[in-house]
Amino acid sequence: MRKITLALFAILMTAGATFAQVDKLMLEANRKSYSDAKKKADEAIMKKDSLKSKTWLTRGEAYLDIANSRDSVLTKADPTAPYKALASFKKALSIDPASPAKKYLTMVMDKDGKPEVEGQKMYAAFMDAGITKYQGKDFTGALKDLQMGMEVAPKDTTAAMYTGVIGQLAKNDAAAKVGYEKFMELGGKDAGMVYALAQIYKVENNEEKAMATINKGIALNPNNKDLKAEKINMLLGFKKIDAAIKELEASVASGSKVPQEVLNLGILYENKANELESELRGYREQLSKGNVDGLNKKIQTQKDKISAFDEEVKRLTDKIKKDPKSAAASKKQIAEVNQMKAEASTVLNDLNAESAQQAASAVNTVEVTKKYDAVKAKQDEAKAQASKYYKQALELDPNNYDINFNLGVMNFNEAVVIKKEVDSMDMNTYKVKGKAVEDLATEKFKQALPYFEKAYSIKQEDDLKSSLRSLYQILKMEEKLKALGE
């Protein structure tokens, strides 16, 4: 049995060697045949035959055979073979519009829905050349070949798709757009291609086309979460936070139980509240400039000082008249008082100039206050909605780090804003309402605490640890501060 097995193995090895030899002989024969046909065709166009359509047709077929040979020796020797074939077919057609060369220029389908051989061969030549260059990292060369493939097969989604992808790799967004747009025009639905095209428009800041593309992609792929998420990102990128909120709210209202989606809605509302803060800051600055009471008090103070200095000068002058012996000392005092009066007059002039400028600006404090109150109401509503959705997300996923962290940060930041109000108070204002405002800030810090602690139990991030340490210090929680460590 052993001898039979060994004998069979030897026969198979011999057969393998024989087949390999046959393949090699066939390859060399084909290579010679293609090379000879190309040489003959090139020689023919140098003669009078160059005026014949048939001559150019034959030359095109010879170069097309080389392009489709899958023989690296031939294709490397003439990497432009597909282009020479195409140029030859076009020349043949220009001489004779009825030439069979026309079939090579466009890949069309026969009555059975299969591509006709001639166009298929031309298409395959460019596609193979493009993919080979792509594999060699020659993206610019690959793009050129694939664009030709798309030209030959204008109804083929594959050529269009590859033109888009490799166009981006070649850093040619214009060409990539043509490919992706053609892909979608032909009925292509791939979410990745839609996303890529939308991103190109987004980078160009072409809001209309970016949004139209992503919306079409969602319509074609209604269950694709990435496209829906990107739509939200685009709306935010185009400063359409209200539209982004509306989009997410519709999803949540429809019964979405995805914690991240609900969390994102909370984040959007908090971002909206933060954006409104800059508007409120502008109104506060206007109101501070329009507040004339403080400025009038300063002006009156300087006037009172000047009146007091005038009275002192009169007193000293009268003293000199009554007691001439004191004249020297009194005159010295008069000089000092006049110097102080001059300084007070300079300050008064500056204050009067500021008052005149303020009057010229004519800040309508009543109108500005109305605007401030309206925006503040919007901000308060946005904060309430943010808190609502954060807590809703927390119910869906209590052990989610991001949800707990965001709730903690929101309360912590609100406490800091309240605390700044206390820090900016003068002593008289602090005596009236400082303690009440401090207590409100402390309450907000306390509300942040359980969320920060829960988040830290899930993930020990350094930034969170630093915030937690600050919170323990503010709330004077010495034991917890020690347990937290450095």
Side-chain angles (χ1 to χ4, degrees), residues 202 205 207 211 231-244 275:
K202 181 180 176 181
N205 206 32
E207 180 182 343
M211 295 309 303
K231 181 177 181 179
I232 301 298
N233 290 335
M234 281 189 175
L235 288 170
L236 294 176
F238 292 127
K239 310 298 182 186
K240 298 291 181 67
I241 190 168
D242 287 334
E275 283 186 3

CSV table of all heavy atoms in Angstrom, one decimal, residues 202 205 207 211 231-244 275:
chain,number,residue,atom,x,y,z
A,202,LYS,N,-19.7,69.7,3.1
A,202,LYS,CA,-19.6,70.3,4.4
A,202,LYS,C,-18.4,71.1,4.5
A,202,LYS,O,-18.3,72.2,5.0
A,202,LYS,CB,-19.7,69.2,5.5
A,202,LYS,CG,-19.6,69.7,6.9
A,202,LYS,CD,-19.7,68.6,7.9
A,202,LYS,CE,-19.5,69.1,9.3
A,202,LYS,NZ,-19.5,67.9,10.3
A,205,ASN,N,-18.4,74.2,2.9
A,205,ASN,CA,-19.4,75.1,3.5
A,205,ASN,C,-20.6,75.3,2.6
A,205,ASN,O,-21.3,76.4,2.7
A,205,ASN,CB,-18.8,76.5,3.9
A,205,ASN,CG,-19.6,77.1,5.0
A,205,ASN,OD1,-20.1,76.5,5.9
A,205,ASN,ND2,-19.6,78.5,5.0
A,207,GLU,N,-23.9,74.5,2.5
A,207,GLU,CA,-24.9,74.0,3.4
A,207,GLU,C,-26.1,73.3,2.6
A,207,GLU,O,-26.5,72.2,3.0
A,207,GLU,CB,-25.5,75.1,4.2
A,207,GLU,CG,-26.6,74.6,5.2
A,207,GLU,CD,-27.1,75.8,6.0
A,207,GLU,OE1,-26.5,76.9,6.1
A,207,GLU,OE2,-28.2,75.6,6.6
A,211,MET,N,-26.7,69.3,3.2
A,211,MET,CA,-28.0,68.8,3.8
A,211,MET,C,-28.8,68.0,2.9
A,211,MET,O,-29.4,67.0,3.3
A,211,MET,CB,-28.7,70.0,4.4
A,211,MET,CG,-28.0,70.8,5.5
A,211,MET,SD,-27.4,69.8,6.8
A,211,MET,CE,-28.9,68.9,7.4
A,231,LYS,N,-26.1,64.1,10.4
A,231,LYS,CA,-27.0,65.2,10.1
A,231,LYS,C,-27.0,66.2,11.3
A,231,LYS,O,-27.0,67.4,11.1
A,231,LYS,CB,-28.4,64.7,9.8
A,231,LYS,CG,-29.4,65.8,9.5
A,231,LYS,CD,-30.8,65.3,9.1
A,231,LYS,CE,-31.7,66.4,8.8
A,231,LYS,NZ,-33.1,66.0,8.4
A,232,ILE,N,-27.1,65.6,12.5
A,232,ILE,CA,-27.0,66.5,13.7
A,232,ILE,C,-25.7,67.3,13.7
A,232,ILE,O,-25.7,68.5,13.9
A,232,ILE,CB,-27.2,65.7,14.9
A,232,ILE,CG1,-28.5,64.9,14.9
A,232,ILE,CG2,-27.1,66.5,16.2
A,232,ILE,CD1,-29.7,65.7,14.9
A,233,ASN,N,-24.6,66.6,13.4
A,233,ASN,CA,-23.3,67.3,13.4
A,233,ASN,C,-23.3,68.4,12.4
A,233,ASN,O,-22.7,69.5,12.6
A,233,ASN,CB,-22.2,66.3,13.1
A,233,ASN,CG,-22.0,65.3,14.3
A,233,ASN,OD1,-22.3,65.7,15.4
A,233,ASN,ND2,-21.5,64.2,14.0
A,234,MET,N,-23.9,68.1,11.2
A,234,MET,CA,-23.9,69.2,10.2
A,234,MET,C,-24.7,70.4,10.6
A,234,MET,O,-24.3,71.5,10.4
A,234,MET,CB,-24.5,68.6,8.9
A,234,MET,CG,-23.5,67.7,8.1
A,234,MET,SD,-24.1,67.3,6.5
A,234,MET,CE,-22.7,66.5,5.8
A,235,LEU,N,-25.9,70.1,11.1
A,235,LEU,CA,-26.7,71.2,11.6
A,235,LEU,C,-26.0,72.1,12.6
A,235,LEU,O,-26.1,73.3,12.6
A,235,LEU,CB,-28.0,70.7,12.2
A,235,LEU,CG,-29.0,70.1,11.2
A,235,LEU,CD1,-30.2,69.3,11.9
A,235,LEU,CD2,-29.6,71.2,10.3
A,236,LEU,N,-25.3,71.4,13.5
A,236,LEU,CA,-24.5,72.2,14.5
A,236,LEU,C,-23.4,73.0,13.8
A,236,LEU,O,-23.1,74.1,14.2
A,236,LEU,CB,-23.9,71.3,15.6
A,236,LEU,CG,-25.0,70.6,16.4
A,236,LEU,CD1,-24.3,69.6,17.4
A,236,LEU,CD2,-25.8,71.6,17.3
A,237,GLY,N,-22.7,72.3,12.8
A,237,GLY,CA,-21.6,73.0,12.1
A,237,GLY,C,-22.1,74.2,11.3
A,237,GLY,O,-21.4,75.2,11.2
A,238,PHE,N,-23.3,74.1,10.9
A,238,PHE,CA,-23.9,75.3,10.1
A,238,PHE,C,-24.7,76.2,11.1
A,238,PHE,O,-25.5,77.0,10.6
A,238,PHE,CB,-24.8,74.8,9.0
A,238,PHE,CG,-24.1,74.0,7.9
A,238,PHE,CD1,-24.5,72.8,7.5
A,238,PHE,CD2,-23.1,74.6,7.3
A,238,PHE,CE1,-23.9,72.1,6.5
A,238,PHE,CE2,-22.4,74.0,6.2
A,238,PHE,CZ,-22.8,72.7,5.9
A,239,LYS,N,-24.4,76.1,12.4
A,239,LYS,CA,-25.0,77.0,13.4
A,239,LYS,C,-26.6,76.9,13.4
A,239,LYS,O,-27.3,77.9,13.6
A,239,LYS,CB,-24.6,78.5,13.1
A,239,LYS,CG,-23.1,78.7,13.0
A,239,LYS,CD,-22.4,78.3,14.2
A,239,LYS,CE,-20.9,78.6,14.1
A,239,LYS,NZ,-20.1,78.1,15.2
A,240,LYS,N,-27.1,75.7,13.2
A,240,LYS,CA,-28.5,75.5,13.2
A,240,LYS,C,-28.9,74.6,14.4
A,240,LYS,O,-29.4,73.5,14.3
A,240,LYS,CB,-29.0,74.8,11.9
A,240,LYS,CG,-28.7,75.6,10.6
A,240,LYS,CD,-29.6,76.8,10.5
A,240,LYS,CE,-29.3,77.6,9.3
A,240,LYS,NZ,-29.7,76.9,8.1
A,241,ILE,N,-28.6,75.1,15.6
A,241,ILE,CA,-28.8,74.3,16.8
A,241,ILE,C,-30.3,74.0,17.1
A,241,ILE,O,-30.6,72.9,17.5
A,241,ILE,CB,-28.1,75.0,18.1
A,241,ILE,CG1,-28.1,74.1,19.3
A,241,ILE,CG2,-28.9,76.3,18.4
A,241,ILE,CD1,-27.3,74.5,20.4
A,242,ASP,N,-31.1,75.0,16.7
A,242,ASP,CA,-32.6,74.7,16.9
A,242,ASP,C,-33.1,73.6,16.0
A,242,ASP,O,-33.9,72.8,16.4
A,242,ASP,CB,-33.4,76.0,16.7
A,242,ASP,CG,-33.2,77.0,17.8
A,242,ASP,OD1,-32.9,76.6,19.0
A,242,ASP,OD2,-33.4,78.2,17.6
A,243,ALA,N,-32.6,73.6,14.8
A,243,ALA,CA,-33.0,72.6,13.8
A,243,ALA,C,-32.4,71.2,14.3
A,243,ALA,O,-33.1,70.2,14.2
A,243,ALA,CB,-32.4,72.9,12.4
A,244,ALA,N,-31.2,71.2,14.9
A,244,ALA,CA,-30.6,70.0,15.4
A,244,ALA,C,-31.5,69.5,16.6
A,244,ALA,O,-31.7,68.2,16.7
A,244,ALA,CB,-29.2,70.2,15.8
A,275,GLU,N,-24.8,79.4,24.5
A,275,GLU,CA,-24.7,80.4,23.4
A,275,GLU,C,-25.5,81.7,23.8
A,275,GLU,O,-25.1,82.8,23.5
A,275,GLU,CB,-25.3,79.8,22.2
A,275,GLU,CG,-24.4,78.9,21.5
A,275,GLU,CD,-25.0,78.4,20.1
A,275,GLU,OE1,-26.1,78.9,19.7
A,275,GLU,OE2,-24.3,77.5,19.5
